[in-house]
Amino acid sequence: MKLIAGVDIGNSTTEVCIAQMDSEGRMRFLSSSSRATTGTKGTIANTAGIINGLEVAMERIGKNVKELSLICINEAAPVIGDTAMETITETIITESSMIGHNPSTPAGAGQATGTILYMQHLEDGKTGIPYIVVASSKYSYESIAETINSYAKKLSIVGMILQADEAVLVENRLEQKIPIVDEVKYVEKIPEGIQAAIEVALVGQSIRMLSNPYGIATLLKLDANETKKVTPIAKSLIGKQSAVVIKTPFEHVKENKLPAGEIYFLGDSKTSVNVDAGADKIMEVLSQTGKINDISGQSGTNVGNMLRNIKKGMGELTKEEASEIKITDILAVDTLAPVQIFGALAGETCMEKAVGVAAMVKTKQLPMEKIAEELKKRLHIYVKVAGVEAVMASLGALTTPGTKLPLAILDLGGGSTDAAIINENGSVVTTHKAGAGELVSMLIQTELSLSTRHIAEEIKKYPLAKVESLYHMRLENGAIHFFEEPIEPKYFGNVVLLHPDKMIILEDDIPMEKIVAVRREVKKKVFVRNAMRALIEVAPEHNLRNIENVVLVGGSAQDFEVPEMLMEEFANYKIVCGRGNIRAIEGPRNAVATGLVMSYIGERHD
């Protein structure tokens, strides 16, 4: 009796399958496990995650890892998917002649224009001049209100800017109501004696003047050139409830542009495309280039820097020169990216059109051989690099009930989307495309301006709801769900993620409808587009109508909405499509690991 392990090292997870083979070559599957991949896929750091996965899988059948006779690992070299993903846009860095701000707790309502005056200098104020008073957090809200009430009898105080988040507390104590903007972190950087405009909208409404460059021009008396410079500020304030815009000396304005740049494709022919043309044009030019040998970017541009850093980073991992590293595929996706406005008081950004890019890298080294050697050294077990991922996934997918040859598979992973077709005679055609689950997470984080990638990962995985009372919540599909018992008050009024074990509150103040729209659109841009271009490449005569069945495998095939999106798309071609159920128990996971074991036993029979 032999115990054999199949190990699939993915970008995000490492999966293990344990099988037993008797003296006559008959196989029985015993156990499996899934653990987070340690280190970058294809590097020695993967061994820690592999060993952990083996230990868990063997422990489930009451055995020790040392009882294994053979470990089969997938051949990920020479292609390593998703080594880097970035958002490419034309970056405009402006130390603007205007400074904008949007706090979450303003007070009062209306617009005002006046000269900046620090609260400690109120005694220097002159009658007949409208002032916007600036107060730092060293003053309490009581002392601020008392001082303003006192000086308002002889000075024209038309608005206030506070460092602390106490606008409402101050406004409640003022005898003459004025618009107040608070949470201005760097109030000490506001120069005195210059003009500023302030606006606070009514509850449920958004500002109108300061979100319009011509509105700012009206309030601060700008010329055409100054109005052009203030446009990024106005764009950043669209939809906000309040804002303050401060006019700084025009000679301080500086602008530096780093262009998006051109992408160069080296394949059967040499082609190029400017990133500004958008993702559709980039992918169109890519498809016309034929087999890709390498992809590079224009020097001194955003995309050039990104592609150079990808090669440099992979070269450091594999100990190769960057010139030896080749990029063999990219996926470009149109998106929106926040661009910081330099010179702002509170890190303001405005959303600009951008292109998200995932890249697939080819190296001369065979990193899996190095991993195999390291595993042999640490475990004293024979390790075999067994086969290409897509081929192994096809073998594993055949254990799904209801499948038959010929069969097409889509392996939706974290870094890449792989496709394969296995014919009646057992021959397999495969392809590997850059971009999958991790690109989706990056784009969700970018478009929603989320603070961490972890939050984006959670949004990708789980549906949403809005808790509207202690007894019910509205699901993202519009349905109402009632609770038998009142839920904790902390959930009230919040958008939550419906994790199987608990509800997760989203701290970012973003409407549920926007989150859902961004999540679904991003998944379509990445998964549906990649699935189509991968299947067309492996389909007989490159015609999707020549494919009858598609089995979805891989971690992203577990997604709660991606398989339905693909089923809907493939229905146009009369293709039967659905999630795999590997060995009738694993769902869409473990296909490659299962295929590795089956491949070895098949070789034994041969």
Side-chain angles (χ1 to χ4, degrees):
M1 291 287 187
K2 283 187 176 181
L3 290 175
I4 302 166
V7 178
D8 170 26
I9 307 165
N11 286 275
S12 303
T13 59
T14 295
E15 297 179 350
V16 174
C17 172
I18 306 295
Q20 178 181 281
M21 187 176 72
D22 62 22
S23 56
E24 297 180 6
R26 288 176 299 203
M27 173 182 58
R28 184 163 66 96
F29 292 104
L30 303 177
S31 175
S32 66
S33 70
S34 178
R35 284 292 180 269
T37 296
T38 51
T40 300
K41 177 179 177 178
T43 62
I44 297 297
N46 297 161
T47 54
I50 294 170
I51 293 172
N52 180 243
L54 290 169
E55 290 172 343
V56 171
M58 292 296 284
E59 184 179 333
R60 288 173 177 170
I61 56 174
K63 296 185 179 295
N64 191 283
V65 172
K66 295 188 181 298
E67 296 180 60
L68 287 169
S69 302
L70 172 69
I71 299 171
C72 300
I73 64 176
N74 57 307
E75 176 56 273
V79 176
I80 301 174
D82 192 54
T83 57
M85 295 171 298
E86 294 190 17
T87 304
I88 309 302
T89 186
E90 182 176 86
T91 304
I92 302 175
I93 302 172
T94 304
E95 186 177 346
S96 178
S97 59
M98 308 294 148
I99 302 171
H101 181 52
N102 176 65
S104 57
T105 57
Q111 306 156 8
T113 304
T115 302
I116 294 294
L117 181 65
Y118 282 12
M119 197 175 84
Q120 60 267 36
H121 298 154
L122 277 170
E123 60 186 22
D124 299 327
K126 299 178 181 179
T127 59
I129 298 177
Y131 288 109
I132 293 178
V133 178
V134 175
S136 69
S137 57
K138 70 178 182 180
Y139 297 101
S140 67
Y141 61 86
E142 293 100 334
S143 64
I144 293 173
E146 183 180 350
T147 302
I148 296 300
N149 284 332
S150 173
Y151 277 91
K153 297 173 183 177
K154 58 182 177 178
L155 296 179
S156 175
I157 299 175
V158 295
M160 287 200 72
I161 302 172
L162 306 181
Q163 187 174 38
D165 59 344
E166 297 177 339
V168 174
L169 296 172
V170 172
E171 202 258 354
N172 286 341
R173 290 163 173 77
L174 294 183
E175 296 171 359
Q176 298 179 21
K177 303 302 182 183
I178 56 175
I180 305 174
V181 175
D182 58 1
E183 299 179 43
V184 181
K185 186 175 182 181
Y186 304 110
V187 292
E188 72 279 358
K189 293 185 178 181
I190 303 174
E192 277 191 296
I194 61 174
Q195 288 293 103
I198 192 169
E199 182 177 7
V200 177
L202 294 171
V203 175
Q205 298 185 24
S206 59
I207 59 175
R208 301 181 66 181
M209 291 294 282
L210 296 185
S211 60
N212 172 8
Y214 301 115
I216 297 175
T218 301
L219 293 175
L220 294 177
K221 298 179 174 58
L222 306 182
D223 60 27
N225 196 26
E226 290 174 305
T227 302
K228 180 181 178 181
K229 297 293 184 182
V230 81
T231 299
I233 293 291
K235 288 173 61 178
S236 74
L237 296 171
I238 292 174
K240 308 302 184 183
Q241 189 187 348
S242 63
V244 52
V245 175
I246 301 168
K247 185 177 182 180
T248 59
F250 182 67
E251 61 270 15
H252 289 174
V253 176
K254 298 176 184 178
E255 185 170 275
N256 176 41
K257 290 189 178 182
L258 183 62
E262 291 192 343
I263 301 175
Y264 305 126
F265 300 111
L266 178 61
D268 296 336
S269 60
K270 293 182 179 179
T271 56
S272 65
V273 62
N274 196 299
V275 172
D276 287 335
D280 288 344
K281 185 63 177 179
I282 293 171
M283 300 309 294
E284 178 186 336
V285 174
L286 173 65
S287 66
Q288 295 170 352
T289 308
K291 183 180 179 181
I292 299 294
N293 299 317
D294 194 19
I295 300 172
S296 60
Q298 181 181 357
S299 178
T301 67
N302 264 325
V303 73
N305 293 342
M306 174 206 163
L307 296 177
R308 185 181 67 252
N309 289 338
I310 288 175
K311 293 182 178 182
K312 179 182 177 182
M314 184 52 63
E316 291 173 353
L317 287 172
T318 60
K319 309 304 179 187
E320 294 181 62
E321 293 294 326
S323 59
E324 301 288 329
I325 309 294
K326 307 297 180 185
I327 295 175
T328 57
D329 183 56
I330 63 170
L331 174 66
V333 179
D334 286 324
T335 185
L336 293 173
V339 177
Q340 185 172 359
I341 301 166
F342 285 73
L345 288 175
E348 292 82 4
T349 61
C350 62
M351 300 301 288
E352 295 286 355
K353 180 182 176 183
V355 176
V357 175
M360 183 169 283
V361 181
K362 180 177 181 179
T363 70
K364 283 192 173 181
Q365 298 289 334
L366 296 178
M368 290 307 176
E369 293 291 352
K370 293 183 179 180
I371 294 172
E373 289 298 322
E374 182 67 16
L375 286 173
K376 289 177 191 176
K377 187 188 303 182
R378 295 179 62 176
L379 299 177
H380 306 292
I381 300 169
Y382 180 64
V383 182
K384 175 183 174 65
V385 181
V388 178
E389 285 183 57
V391 177
M392 298 302 103
S394 298
L395 292 176
L398 282 171
T399 65
T400 295
T403 58
K404 67 172 184 177
L405 296 177
L407 181 69
I409 67 106
L410 277 171
D411 188 353
L412 311 176
S416 64
T417 300
D418 301 339
I421 289 185
I422 182 167
N423 300 317
E424 291 94 333
N425 59 10
S427 62
V428 183
V429 181
T430 67
T431 188
H432 313 275
K433 300 299 181 186
E438 291 181 12
L439 178 60
V440 169
S441 298
M442 185 208 70
L443 293 174
I444 289 174
Q445 181 184 7
T446 300
E447 292 203 20
L448 294 177
S449 300
L450 300 173
S451 54
T452 67
R453 181 65 61 84
H454 174 71
I455 298 172
E457 282 280 348
E458 299 293 278
I459 288 174
K460 178 182 71 175
K461 291 179 182 178
Y462 307 114
L464 295 160
K466 176 72 178 288
V467 179
E468 297 182 332
S469 78
L470 299 182
Y471 289 91
H472 84 281
M473 62 182 176
R474 176 170 52 90
L475 307 181
E476 66 175 57
N477 63 4
I480 302 296
H481 176 79
F482 292 93
F483 303 103
E484 292 185 4
E485 300 291 335
I487 61 173
E488 294 182 56
K490 68 178 181 180
Y491 293 110
F492 176 69
N494 284 301
V495 176
V496 296
L497 288 165
L498 301 179
H499 187 283
D501 299 326
K502 61 180 179 179
M503 293 192 299
I504 302 172
I505 297 174
L506 289 182
E507 301 295 342
D508 297 85
D509 186 19
I510 308 171
M512 178 174 68
E513 293 75 14
K514 180 179 179 179
I515 299 173
V516 172
V518 168
R519 184 195 70 212
R520 290 186 58 83
E521 186 63 24
V522 165
K523 287 179 180 179
K524 287 180 180 178
K525 288 177 180 177
V526 175
F527 285 116
V528 175
R529 179 172 211 159
N530 242 6
M532 293 294 286
R533 72 183 185 119
L535 279 182
I536 288 173
E537 187 166 321
V538 300
E541 302 176 3
H542 302 297
N543 188 341
L544 286 180
R545 297 192 182 278
N546 292 328
I547 297 176
E548 294 183 6
N549 306 283
V550 174
V551 175
L552 305 177
V553 299
S556 295
Q558 291 183 308
D559 188 272
F560 70 97
E561 57 191 350
V562 168
E564 286 72 17
M565 291 178 180
L566 292 174
M567 289 170 64
E568 182 179 341
E569 187 69 25
F570 293 147
N572 299 324
Y573 302 90
K574 298 182 179 180
I575 296 174
V576 177
C577 172
R579 293 180 181 88
N581 190 13
I582 310 305
R583 306 198 313 275
I585 59 171
E586 297 284 354
R589 302 301 294 258
N590 213 254
V592 174
T594 298
L596 286 164
V597 174
M598 294 171 65
S599 174
Y600 171 74
I601 293 173
E603 289 177 4
R604 296 280 300 186
H605 281 300
D606 291 341

